[in-house]
Amino acid sequence: MPYILLIAGFGLLIKGADWFVDGSSNIARLLRVPPILIGLTIVAFGTSSPEATVSIIAALQGNAEVSLGNVVGSNIFNITLVVGIAAFLYPLMVESETTKKEIPFILLASGALLVLISDTELQGLSENLLTRSDGIIFLLFLCIFMYYVIEVGLKSRKESIHEPVPSNITWGKNTGLSLAGLAAIIFGGDLVVDNGTEIAYDLGMSNTLVGLTIIAIGTSLPELVTSISAAIKKESGIALGNVVGSNIFNILFVLGASAVISPLNVNGKIFIDVMIMIALSLLLFLFSRTNYKIGKTEGFVLMTLYIIYLVYIILRN
């Protein structure tokens, strides 16, 4: 039964992503805003919901390692494998605004995370802790980011307000399509994580290894299938915006909300992963500046880096 449910979960993920991308791209046309803004907001927030659920529940249960590890691991997965596979399938065109403001915002959020968890090194405290005050700082950063996205959206809408929208694209149909797609993605991802974990335990994998691989990858499956589906449909804005927005939401909203609920103790091992996340974010920024395109070569490099990272964490643990 776990194998059947695992296959059913992947089926829901694939079909759900298809509906979600179609609905979201049509909503962008109805709103007369660039698809990347929908990718940065609606799509990113939707595909980040599994990380939010896992991390917030972990915070309520006092399991800080799961909250932090899930977010950092998912962000590394997003930058390397999600962008890598999407770019390898179809080169991702990058808007100049994305390289100037949105990707640097990932670097800002990642840098802020490194600073706020470095209490022992920077303040001489006895332990590293992500406090409620730190959580509030993250949530305030999120408000600034959302204000920026709304401002860009309103400006873009003003410039294209007179552009016609095909009569067959309606609000009701595409809102329903997006919601149905998101529900299928989340439910399918849940089936994959639960049954994949059960199969892994049956095969003799340890708790730590299951957490670092299946759970971290499983909560990022919505980003993966959505970005791949968007790349195949040549919706570069949604494919890249989904990853950029998800990484920003993961740090600012997921960790922010988790820390406000319950202060998070920081395991010393996570510092290496946070620095790897920052280095990969910088690499994504550099790749996106190359002719404003992330192509097959860059995609292959990013996929290879994830395999190296996966081998590293398996050996480390």
Side-chain angles (χ1 to χ4, degrees):
M1 185 55 71
Y3 289 93
I4 294 170
L5 291 174
L6 184 70
I7 293 166
F10 277 117
L12 282 171
L13 277 169
I14 293 163
K15 194 60 189 173
D18 190 42
W19 292 341
F20 195 36
V21 170
D22 283 346
S24 299
S25 60
N26 284 335
I27 285 172
R29 294 176 72 183
L30 287 164
L31 288 171
R32 294 178 173 84
V33 298
I36 189 155
L37 291 184
I38 299 298
L40 284 166
T41 52
I42 298 170
V43 177
F45 196 79
T47 56
S48 287
S49 54
E51 285 94 338
T53 304
V54 169
S55 292
I56 289 171
I57 289 172
L60 287 168
Q61 295 173 345
N63 195 341
E65 285 187 35
V66 170
S67 290
L68 273 167
N70 179 37
V71 165
V72 175
S74 292
N75 279 14
I76 289 171
F77 182 87
N78 288 346
I79 294 170
T80 52
L81 212 61
V82 176
V83 174
I85 292 174
F88 193 76
L89 290 173
Y90 184 80
L92 302 177
M93 306 309 295
V94 186
E95 301 283 340
S96 62
E97 286 292 304
T98 304
T99 60
K100 290 176 185 174
K101 295 175 182 175
E102 285 126 25
I103 295 177
F105 213 95
I106 296 180
L107 286 164
L108 175 65
S110 302
L113 174 61
L114 182 61
V115 169
L116 292 176
I117 63 174
S118 302
D119 297 330
T120 304
E121 291 78 7
L122 298 179
Q123 299 183 55
L125 300 180
S126 58
E127 62 177 352
N128 294 311
L129 199 67
L130 203 59
T131 64
R132 286 193 172 91
S133 299
D134 297 335
I136 290 168
I137 289 170
F138 279 145
L139 294 175
L140 289 173
F141 268 128
L142 180 64
C143 291
I144 293 168
F145 175 71
M146 292 307 298
Y147 175 78
Y148 156 72
V149 170
I150 291 167
E151 280 287 299
V152 172
L154 290 174
K155 181 184 176 184
S156 173
R157 182 178 168 82
K158 192 180 293 183
E159 291 171 356
S160 59
I161 193 69
H162 300 297
E163 289 181 12
V165 177
S167 58
N168 63 327
I169 297 178
T170 60
W171 275 104
K173 177 185 174 183
N174 289 289
T175 303
L177 199 63
S178 297
L179 291 174
L182 181 58
I185 287 169
I186 293 168
F187 185 59
D190 194 42
L191 282 176
V192 169
V193 172
D194 289 347
N195 292 284
T197 303
E198 187 176 336
I199 292 166
Y201 284 138
D202 289 341
L203 295 173
M205 290 173 69
S206 68
N207 287 339
T208 305
L209 195 53
V210 168
L212 284 166
T213 53
I214 291 170
I215 302 233
I217 293 168
T219 55
S220 289
L221 280 176
E223 284 92 340
L224 178 63
V225 292
T226 301
S227 286
I228 288 173
S229 181
I232 290 168
K233 294 173 186 287
K234 301 182 182 178
E235 291 282 0
S236 292
I238 289 178
L240 189 59
N242 172 35
V243 169
V244 173
S246 289
N247 280 21
I248 292 169
F249 275 116
N250 283 348
I251 296 173
L252 301 183
F253 174 70
V254 176
L255 280 185
S258 298
V260 167
I261 290 167
S262 176
L264 307 174
N265 287 303
V266 181
N267 186 312
K269 284 183 180 179
I270 202 72
F271 280 89
I272 295 172
D273 301 278
V274 171
M275 286 187 275
I276 289 171
M277 178 179 71
I278 292 170
L280 289 169
S281 300
L282 184 59
L283 184 64
L284 179 66
F285 173 72
L286 294 173
F287 280 170
S288 66
R289 298 282 291 183
T290 311
N291 300 319
Y292 295 100
K293 183 177 76 172
I294 301 174
K296 289 183 182 292
T297 304
E298 291 92 339
F300 181 77
V301 169
L302 290 170
M303 288 189 289
T304 304
L305 287 173
Y306 184 73
I307 293 167
I308 293 168
Y309 173 71
L310 197 60
V311 170
Y312 161 71
I313 58 172
I314 289 169
L315 293 175
R316 184 181 74 182
N317 290 280

